[in-house]
């Protein structure tokens, strides 16, 4: 049974990618905070027990409460939220991920349990436990938290770089894919960074501490910023591992991608230089405002990074398998014959708004094939992108969609459907008049057919690997 | 015996789904009924410190809510393998109405932490009651949403299409009400059975008699109402679904259900008459609740499978069963649950009692 057709909702002016990206940033930031926070607490506990540092012990208890309150609640729920919003945007994508990797997710579930139990036990009983027991709980918590990153990282990086998996369909080939290690290490360091910066913030706001004590805490926490020097190397490694088209979009090929990338890199560089030169070398003391600024910069870096990660997969959600609009690569040829609206059991919600059936069909094509990346006249709005185009241009560029921009998938419908969406775009650009003539231009349909033929059913230039797969 | 009478891969995933779903239902019941008890007790003006039951929930609800959420992940996973198209379609159709469970969950969660602190208890009664009411309402809303989503997922293409075209963000068939009735009342005996264990271990056994009979009352009323709702539900089900529940493949589960109900009534009568939480009735109540929850989960699944074309789903289950990783999962399941047991042991063995801690604090020089 094919599961090509799902109902599709209108997200209004918001692009669907933005919805996932927006929640993703919050979730990733909090999750990484929890992971790095666990490690940092192990370090402070070690200071407490090996050097009898009472301050470190006190801080561990205070900071851990903070981790639990923030990450257990919002972190956990945004995690479930990511799952749900992925379903909203592309049920087929999440369906395939679950299908191929459900055991890894099931493994992650066992780590979640260890994480919440060890974490909560420390939160509740930590102050009443001897050092060895405290350390054991913290280590269990940190390992569990880090492993949840480990497992999910394999599944997410598989989407962009499935590597040998396409040949073998072996779960481990998919999991230990080309971008697995650079991405895992990069995220581990990010986690440590976020935790250290938040610790500086918390050290400033904890009550009843003297300035000297706040300073000591900050300098200890700042050690977790040192691994940031490896970030550039890991970033280069990551970029070498991802498909060269994705790389080229980030480096100028797509304005939006380059912008997000610049934001991410710029913010990371700022945090990194302040960390290395200010905090580590000069041993500066930072007040709560500076700490907050650094945390915000780290958040901006996460934001840039997440948008890039969501964006560079285009035109796929799972490389070489499924396009962003949930049409799989091997379905395009059939849909060219059959049309993408013909068998759809979900009709338009507002079919009677359109003067002609052709316009309604155009709206339907837009919904099925384009709405995942475009709005009509909001973010990445088609009316704005094509406002100045002639009919001919519209027909040509949409028929040859994957050649118009290689980060778009091939058009997965027939010639009537191209003409329908062209008419629908024109009708919208003309202010949606109540009367509109149906276009029955046979010559135009013949050209569209020829252009569709020329464009073929494979992805655009450069999206294919060198061997053409 | 259902679900083992299904083809291999389907039976395999159904079993995993059902086992992990029961593990979700237990903490879920504790949370929903616990929030209800907290609300009732707060309304009665009780301050947690004077009321072991309210105090228990105040302390433990935040953590058990984390457990309930985490425990939801596994059934969510197996559900998507078993019925991916149905589940996703219902999710997308309910759209923002469905996604609303997330912010609502955040609100409920933070209010629980607020309840746990002292700040709230220094506020006027109306503030405390409002907080308790919002907590309960948010969990009830989430459970309701799961029921709605579940029913929509089994409703079939014709209903989906109609629902989509109308742009309707809710789905309220007649069977929703008895269904919500079942779990909203059924959570009480389950919660009561679970909570007997920590309560009985508590130090100040002296005034537990009031608590014991109060608990017995909650459990008994919950049991009676849920049985009535089950009858109601069977009455409104379409014949095919009703047959699926009452048919031979479910004999063992029907028996488990009856035994579970009897055990629980016996247990709560004993507890009520003794005014104490003795070990025997605790065991009876717990075993009875487990039997009943398991039987309900299976019966609920039989209704769903009777509505779907299971043979059409089989190829997908077969393909999923070919994917590697199961043994590693089994290994980590053992390792991580052993590690969890180890953590609990550490705390049980080494945590100093609160009093000792206070005494130590006094001796410690002030910084
Ligand atoms: C306080 C929060 C929650 C409550 C009160 C709750 C309650 C419920 C209830 C009452 C059902 C049964 C619905 C029915 O059969 O009519 C259910 C099913 C389920 N819940 Fe939860 N739930 C909560 C949170 C969660 C979360 C966060 C997850 C996911 C991580 C989850 C996963 C599931 C799954 C997978 C099912 C089975 C759905 C199906 O088979 O159609 N639950 N929940």
């Amino acid at each position: 049974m094919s599961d090509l057709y799902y109902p599709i909702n209108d997200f209004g002016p918001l692009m669907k990618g933005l919805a996932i990206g927006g929640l993703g940033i919050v979730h990733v930031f909090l999750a990484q905070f929890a992971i790095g926070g666990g490690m940092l607490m192990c370090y402070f506990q070690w200071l407490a027990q090996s050097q009898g540092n009472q301050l470190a012990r006190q801080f561990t208890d205070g900071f851990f409460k903070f981790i639990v309150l923030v990450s257990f609640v919002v972190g956990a729920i945004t995690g479930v939220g990511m799952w749900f919003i992925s379903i909203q945007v592309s049920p087929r994508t999440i369906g395939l991920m679950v299908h191929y990797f459900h055991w890894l997710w099931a493994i992650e579930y066992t780590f979640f349990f260890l994480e919440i139990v060890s974490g909560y036990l420390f939160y509740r009983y930590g102050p009443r436990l001897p050092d060895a027991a405290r350390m054991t709980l913290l280590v269990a918590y940190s390992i569990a938290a880090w492993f949840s990153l480990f497992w999910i990282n394999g599944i997410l990086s598989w989407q962009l770089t499935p590597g040998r998996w396409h040949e073998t369909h072996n779960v481990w080939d998919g999991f230990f894919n080309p971008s697995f290690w650079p991405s895992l290490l990069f995220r581990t360091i990010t986690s440590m960074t976020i935790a250290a910066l938040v610790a500086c913030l918390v050290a400033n706001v904890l009550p009843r501490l003297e300035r000297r004590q706040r300073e000591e805490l900050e300098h200890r926490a700042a050690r977790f910023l040192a691994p940031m020097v490896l970030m550039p190397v890991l970033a280069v490694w990551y970029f070498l591992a991802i498909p060269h088209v994705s790389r080229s979009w980030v480096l100028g090929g797509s304005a939006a991608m380059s912008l997000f990338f610049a934001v991410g890199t710029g913010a990371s560089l700022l945090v990194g230089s302040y960390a290395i030169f200010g905090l580590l070398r000069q041993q500066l003391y930072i007040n709560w405002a500076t700490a907050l600024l650094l945390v915000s910069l780290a958040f901006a870096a996460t934001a840039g990074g997440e948008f890039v990660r969501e964006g560079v997969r285009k035109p796929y959600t799972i490389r070489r398998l499924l396009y962003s609009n949930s049409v799989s690569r091997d379905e395009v040829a059939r849909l060219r014959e059959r049309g993408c609206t013909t068998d759809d059991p979900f009709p338009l919600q507002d079919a009677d708004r359109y003067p002609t059936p052709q316009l309604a069909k155009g709206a339907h094509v837009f919904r099925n094939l384009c709405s995942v990346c475009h709005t009509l006249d909001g973010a990445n709005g088609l009316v704005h992108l094509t406002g100045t185009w002639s009919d001919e241009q519209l027909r040509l560029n949409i028929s040859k969609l994957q050649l118009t921009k290689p980060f778009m998938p091939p058009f997965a419908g027939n010639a009537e459907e191209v003409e329908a969406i062209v008419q629908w775009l024109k009708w919208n650009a003309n202010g949606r008049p109540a009367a509109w003539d149906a276009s029955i231009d046979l010559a135009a349909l013949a050209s569209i057919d020829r252009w569709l033929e020329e464009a073929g059913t494979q992805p655009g230039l450069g999206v294919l690997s060198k061997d053409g797969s | 015996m259902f679900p083992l009478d299904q083809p291999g891969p389907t039976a395999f995933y159904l079993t995993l789904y059902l086992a992990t779903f029961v593990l979700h239902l237990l903490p879920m019941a504790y949370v929903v009924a616990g929030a209800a008890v907290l609300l009732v007790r707060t309304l009665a003006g009780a301050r947690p410190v004077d009321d072991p039951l309210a105090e228990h929930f105040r302390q433990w609800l935040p953590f058990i809510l984390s457990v309930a959420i985490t425990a939801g992940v596994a059934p969510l996973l197996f559900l998507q393998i078993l019925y991916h198209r149905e589940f996703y379609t219902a999710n997308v159709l309910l759209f923002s109405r469905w996604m609303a469970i997330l912010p609502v969950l955040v609100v409920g969660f933070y209010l629980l932490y607020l309840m746990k602190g002292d700040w709230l208890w220094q506020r006027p009664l109306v503030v405390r009651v409002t907080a308790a009411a919002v907590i309960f309402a948010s969990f009830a809303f989430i459970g309701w949403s799961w029921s709605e989503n579940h029913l929509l997922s089994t409703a079939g293409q014709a209903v989906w299409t109609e629902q989509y075209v109308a742009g309707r963000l809710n789905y309220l068939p007649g069977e929703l009400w008895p269904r919500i009735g079942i779990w909203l009342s059924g959570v009480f005996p389950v919660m009561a059975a679970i909570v007997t264990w920590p309560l009985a271990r508590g130090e100040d056994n002296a005034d537990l008699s009031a608590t014991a009979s109060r608990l017995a009352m909650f459990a008994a009323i919950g049991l009676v109402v849920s049985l009535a709702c089950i009858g109601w539900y069977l009455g409104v089900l379409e014949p095919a679904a009703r047959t699926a529940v009452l048919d031979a493949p479910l004999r063992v589960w029907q028996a488990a259900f009856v035994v579970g109900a009897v055990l629980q009534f016996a247990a709560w009568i004993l507890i009520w008459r003794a005014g104490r939480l003795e070990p025997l009735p605790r065991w009876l109540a717990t075993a009875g609740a487990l039997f009943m929850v398991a039987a309900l989960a299976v019966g609920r699944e039989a209704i769903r499978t009777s509505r779907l074309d299971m043979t059409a789903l089989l190829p997908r289950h077969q393909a999923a069963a070919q994917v590697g990783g199961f043994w590693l999962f089994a290994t980590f399941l053992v390792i991580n649950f052993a590690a969890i047991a180890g953590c609990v042991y550490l705390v049980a063995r080494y945590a100093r009692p609160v009093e000792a801690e206070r005494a130590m604090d006094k001796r410690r020089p002030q910084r």
Side-chain angles (χ1 to χ4, degrees):
Chain A
M1 184 194 61
S2 157
D3 67 335
L4 173 59
Y5 292 109
Y6 285 99
I8 298 176
N9 287 313
D10 185 358
F11 278 45
L14 194 71
M15 235 167 60
K16 292 181 185 174
L18 289 179
I20 288 204
L23 188 66
I25 296 161
V26 178
H27 175 64
V28 168
F29 190 79
L30 294 175
Q32 293 187 339
F33 164 61
I35 295 164
M39 299 178 180
L40 192 68
M41 289 306 92
C42 290
Y43 170 59
F44 273 83
Q45 174 60 32
W46 176 80
L47 285 177
Q49 64 191 65
S50 66
Q51 308 178 358
N53 187 331
Q54 273 307 318
L55 179 64
R57 184 189 314 272
Q58 209 183 328
F59 186 69
T60 311
D61 292 330
F63 192 65
F64 203 81
K65 286 220 158 58
F66 193 69
I67 296 185
V68 168
L69 271 179
V70 174
S71 88
F72 272 38
V73 181
V74 190
I77 295 174
T78 50
V80 181
M82 284 303 283
W83 208 330
F84 286 172
I85 204 150
S86 309
I87 293 173
Q88 292 293 332
V89 172
S90 175
R92 285 190 108 187
T93 306
I94 192 88
L96 284 171
M97 290 162 72
V98 167
H99 184 84
Y100 289 117
F101 295 105
H102 52 282
W103 295 120
L104 306 191
W105 251 313
I107 294 173
E108 202 186 359
Y109 156 83
T110 69
F111 278 101
F112 283 156
F113 261 117
L114 179 58
E115 185 180 339
I116 60 162
V117 174
S118 56
Y120 196 82
L121 288 176
F122 188 87
Y123 166 80
R124 199 180 156 86
Y125 298 103
R128 293 198 260 140
L129 284 173
D131 277 333
R134 282 166 65 89
M135 192 60 153
T136 311
L137 287 181
L138 285 173
V139 167
Y141 170 82
S142 307
I143 291 180
W146 184 79
F147 262 104
S148 64
L149 169 66
F150 179 87
W151 296 112
I152 195 67
N153 175 63
I155 303 174
L156 296 182
S157 54
W158 166 82
Q159 287 183 272
L160 178 62
T161 55
R164 267 160 41 84
W165 179 86
H166 274 293
E167 285 77 59
T168 64
H169 272 233
N170 178 306
V171 67
W172 301 115
D173 283 336
F175 186 76
F176 293 110
N177 61 72
S179 63
F180 176 83
W181 290 110
S183 148
L184 179 67
L185 296 176
F186 196 89
R187 282 171 184 276
T188 304
I189 296 182
T190 311
S191 305
M192 295 171 73
T193 306
I194 296 175
L197 295 177
V198 176
C200 288
L201 185 62
V202 173
N204 264 292
V205 297
L206 275 186
R208 290 190 296 279
L209 284 186
E210 293 159 18
R211 156 92 186 227
R212 184 183 51 76
Q213 293 174 314
R214 297 187 199 278
E215 246 172 68
E216 182 188 341
L217 289 173
E218 276 188 1
H219 292 147
R220 295 293 186 178
R223 306 224 162 144
F224 264 53
L225 297 171
M228 281 192 89
V229 294
L230 294 176
M231 274 187 165
V233 184
L234 291 172
V236 171
W237 182 8
Y238 181 77
F239 272 96
L240 291 178
I242 67 175
H244 71 278
V245 263
S246 304
R247 200 155 56 228
S248 67
W249 294 335
V250 173
L251 303 174
S254 154
M257 280 300 109
S258 307
L259 181 73
F260 286 129
F261 179 66
V263 168
T265 327
S268 309
L269 276 176
L270 281 175
V271 175
S273 9
Y274 196 92
I276 310 279
F277 296 109
L279 284 168
L280 286 170
R281 292 211 39 198
Q282 303 278 321
Q283 302 261 310
L284 292 180
Y285 167 71
I286 55 174
N287 61 14
W288 69 267
T290 317
L292 188 62
L293 180 72
L294 288 175
V295 172
S296 315
L297 280 173
F299 188 79
T302 310
E306 285 311 297
F307 276 120
V308 169
R309 193 180 59 103
E310 278 299 316
V312 292
R313 293 199 198 109
K314 289 194 186 90
Y316 296 109
T317 55
I318 300 170
R319 192 170 153 77
R320 292 165 61 195
L321 189 63
L322 190 71
Y323 290 118
S324 304
N325 55 13
S326 295
V327 173
S328 74
R329 221 178 121 183
D330 56 14
E331 280 163 343
V332 177
R334 189 177 58 81
L335 293 172
R336 280 280 170 86
E337 305 273 313
R338 185 82 190 135
C340 69
T341 52
T342 320
D343 299 323
D344 187 351
F346 295 100
L348 270 194
Q349 280 173 314
D350 53 358
D352 43 2
R353 269 186 54 204
Y354 303 96
T356 67
Q358 186 181 41
L359 289 177
K361 185 186 255 192
H364 198 161
V365 173
F366 169 77
R367 188 192 81 189
N368 285 11
L369 298 185
C370 324
S371 71
V372 73
C373 304
H374 290 284
T375 61
L376 175 60
D377 46 15
N380 209 16
L382 281 185
V383 169
H384 309 305
L385 287 168
T386 62
T388 59
W389 290 7
S390 69
D391 294 11
E392 193 78 345
Q393 245 175 321
L394 277 169
R395 291 178 183 129
L396 172 74
N397 283 331
I398 293 177
S399 305
K400 298 194 171 185
L401 200 67
Q402 79 270 45
L403 304 180
T404 302
K405 293 273 181 204
F407 37 82
M408 289 197 270
F411 188 86
N414 58 27
E416 283 80 31
E417 289 176 334
V418 172
E419 184 58 20
I421 190 171
V422 166
Q423 293 299 320
W424 174 77
L425 279 171
K426 286 175 52 184
W427 176 71
N428 276 301
N430 283 293
R432 294 173 212 145
W436 189 262
D437 289 337
S439 135
I440 29 172
D441 185 342
L442 290 180
L445 283 182
S447 320
I448 293 174
D449 260 328
R450 182 162 50 78
W451 288 324
L452 284 171
E453 188 69 32
E454 282 171 14
T457 56
Q458 294 302 313
L461 290 175
V463 179
L464 297 173
S465 329
K466 289 189 196 73
D467 59 7
S469 55
Chain B
M1 181 178 90
F2 184 84
L4 301 179
D5 55 352
Q6 302 285 314
T10 305
F12 175 62
Y13 284 112
L14 271 177
T15 307
L16 281 170
Y17 166 78
L18 284 168
T20 53
F21 181 54
V22 169
L23 286 184
H24 169 57
L25 286 180
L26 298 176
M28 183 281 280
Y30 175 100
V31 166
V32 175
V37 171
L38 201 53
L39 172 60
V40 172
R41 299 303 298 149
T42 313
L43 255 178
R47 288 195 177 260
V49 270
D50 319 322
D51 181 346
L53 202 53
E55 177 61 12
H56 171 83
F57 286 120
R58 188 172 85 109
Q59 292 297 335
W60 284 97
L61 273 176
F63 173 60
I64 304 296
L65 178 58
S66 286
V67 175
I69 295 174
T70 306
V73 171
L76 185 57
L77 194 64
F78 297 123
L79 184 67
Q80 292 173 74
I81 290 178
L82 285 163
Y83 315 109
H84 73 291
R85 187 165 140 77
E86 289 73 18
F87 179 65
Y88 294 154
T89 303
N91 273 205
V92 178
L93 286 173
L94 293 176
F95 193 32
S96 45
R97 158 69 183 77
W98 172 244
M99 299 295 287
I101 67 175
L102 299 167
V104 169
L105 201 48
V106 175
V107 170
F109 219 146
Y110 274 120
L111 283 177
L112 281 182
Y113 274 101
L114 202 61
M115 278 263 167
K116 193 162 183 278
D118 296 330
W119 181 87
L120 190 74
W121 299 98
Q122 285 144 20
R123 303 301 116 194
L125 182 68
V126 40
V127 178
R128 284 178 270 149
V129 170
T130 311
V134 173
I135 291 174
F136 174 72
S138 57
F139 300 147
F141 172 80
I142 294 164
W144 169 310
S145 309
W146 278 101
S147 289
E148 221 177 309
N149 184 76
H150 178 96
L151 291 180
L152 183 55
S153 78
T154 63
Q157 185 65 53
V159 173
W160 293 342
T161 302
E162 199 252 359
Q163 184 88 9
Y164 180 68
V165 174
R168 222 179 352 239
L169 294 185
N170 54 34
Y171 180 64
L172 308 171
E175 68 174 299
L176 183 64
W177 314 113
R179 191 172 179 110
I180 290 180
I182 294 174
W183 69 256
L184 209 49
S185 51
V187 290
F188 284 91
V190 180
M191 167 281 289
I194 299 174
V195 91
T196 55
W197 297 94
L199 280 184
R201 275 192 56 218
E203 275 120 45
D204 30 26
N205 276 357
D207 54 354
L208 263 191
S209 64
T211 305
S213 24
R214 199 172 287 139
L215 210 53
M217 188 190 67
F218 279 126
I221 295 179
L223 265 175
V224 172
V225 176
S226 68
L227 288 177
C229 290
I230 289 170
W232 179 15
Y233 197 32
L234 286 174
V236 300
L237 273 181
E238 74 275 16
R242 191 182 316 128
T243 315
V245 177
L246 300 177
D247 221 12
L250 265 76
R251 268 312 163 255
V252 174
W253 301 108
Q254 293 153 4
F257 179 82
V258 175
V259 173
V262 172
L263 287 182
Q264 291 183 85
F265 274 121
W268 292 112
I269 290 172
L270 285 176
I271 288 175
W272 191 71
R273 289 179 44 182
R276 273 194 314 269
L277 301 170
E278 306 266 306
L280 175 71
R282 277 190 270 144
W283 279 111
L284 292 181
T286 310
L290 257 179
F291 280 0
M292 204 156 142
V293 170
L296 281 175
V298 173
R300 166 184 182 277
E301 212 48 36
I303 299 175
R304 169 154 52 194
T305 50
S306 80
R307 291 175 178 170
L308 304 180
D309 179 359
M310 295 303 285
T311 45
L313 296 175
L314 181 59
R316 187 106 178 177
H317 303 163
Q318 267 162 344
Q322 304 296 316
V323 171
F326 173 75
W327 290 109
L328 195 67
F329 161 66
T331 310
F332 273 118
L333 189 70
V334 173
I335 294 178
N336 282 339
F337 280 85
I340 289 172
C343 290
V344 173
Y345 169 79
L346 265 187
V347 169
R349 172 84 179 68
Y350 293 109
R352 290 184 289 269
V354 185
E355 290 70 33
E357 191 66 15
R358 287 205 188 109
M360 265 182 68
D361 274 350
K362 280 196 197 108
R363 265 181 276 124
R364 212 176 272 156
Q366 294 294 316
R367 321 185 107 258

